Amino acid sequence: VFYLETLFCAVRTIWGSSKALVEEILKKCNMHNRKYFWKVKRTVDIILSLVALIVFAPIMLLIGLVIFCFDGHNPIFKQTRAGRFGKEFEMYKFRTMVSDAEARKGELMKLNKMDGPVFKVDNDPRITKVGKFLRMTSLDELPQLWNILKGDMSFVGPRPVVLTETRLLELRRQQGADMVRPGITGLAQ
């Protein structure tokens, strides 16, 4: 019943109701209901990630073999990221860049399209041909299913922050976004 009331109120809010209504919804979300929500969300994450890992295992194996054959390196890229409450964890992705990409980053700093600690270059020369396809199809994200199963991430949530992006980490803390598990998809996508 609580969830139906919340859904009804949320729909009214979207159609132009006041800020006071939103505050009323938040008051109704007492701690018991939030705990229940997070338990259900975690259970759904476990079940969906386990099923997805089984279903996509042949594709992941094929992608890993293609990366290894073309690049001769470990097909899995690991990077330390900040998760829930700033806890560090290893995030997994398929390798889409050359093995010395971090070392070559300094050469490309003058081409950075972003301000601050975030690094983005158009047509980054460090991205491999296989990596370009994987990024375009988002198949490079499949190993993050393991992160979800382990409990480091969720399907929906803010993107995990690279530890070097300290300004972004602080902003997340101020906004309370570090109170949830980071996700594969969320508002940023």
Side-chain angles (χ1 to χ4, degrees):
V1 173
F2 167 77
Y3 295 103
L4 290 175
E5 288 176 5
T6 305
L7 179 62
F8 177 71
C9 291
V11 169
R12 282 188 15 207
T13 303
I14 291 170
W15 284 334
S17 294
S18 68
K19 183 179 175 185
L21 183 59
V22 174
E23 290 172 1
E24 184 63 31
I25 292 170
L26 293 175
K27 285 179 186 174
K28 285 184 178 181
C29 293
N30 63 34
M31 189 55 76
H32 171 73
N33 288 326
R34 278 189 252 156
K35 284 182 182 178
Y36 177 76
F37 170 78
W38 292 116
K39 285 179 183 178
V40 169
K41 186 174 191 282
R42 180 68 188 127
T43 303
V44 169
D45 280 346
I46 290 170
I47 292 168
L48 288 180
S49 63
L50 193 57
V51 169
L53 280 168
I54 292 168
V55 169
F56 291 116
I59 294 169
M60 292 172 69
L61 181 63
L62 181 64
I63 291 170
L65 288 171
V66 168
I67 292 171
F68 184 77
C69 289
F70 276 86
D71 300 334
H73 296 287
N74 183 353
I76 301 294
F77 172 74
K78 293 186 247 177
Q79 188 175 45
T80 305
R81 300 280 182 114
R84 188 173 185 202
F85 301 120
K87 179 184 166 216
E88 295 179 14
F89 72 97
E90 292 291 316
M91 188 182 81
Y92 307 110
K93 293 181 85 166
F94 280 119
R95 184 176 300 283
T96 59
M97 292 188 164
V98 294
S99 60
D100 64 341
E102 284 298 313
R104 293 174 54 186
K105 187 176 179 179
E107 303 167 12
L108 302 169
M109 285 305 275
K110 61 185 176 287
L111 303 174
N112 189 6
K113 300 287 182 192
M114 306 296 283
D115 289 329
V118 181
F119 183 77
K120 178 87 171 160
V121 174
D122 290 335
N123 299 317
D124 194 329
R126 302 172 302 160
I127 299 175
T128 64
K129 290 178 184 178
V130 174
K132 189 173 186 176
F133 172 77
L134 291 176
R135 286 182 174 202
M136 185 177 66
T137 58
S138 295
L139 290 171
D140 63 321
E141 310 275 343
L142 285 176
Q144 291 176 25
L145 292 168
W146 182 251
N147 287 114
I148 294 172
L149 188 62
K150 285 178 26 181
D152 294 330
M153 292 178 67
S154 181
F155 277 101
V156 179
R159 289 299 294 164
V161 179
V162 179
L163 295 179
T164 57
E165 297 173 358
T166 53
R167 283 194 349 211
L168 192 53
L169 278 168
E170 186 54 37
L171 181 63
R172 282 240 175 115
R173 284 187 191 103
Q174 291 172 358
Q175 294 174 338
D178 69 335
M179 295 176 66
V180 296
R181 282 188 181 89
I184 291 179
T185 187
L187 292 176
Q189 285 78 38

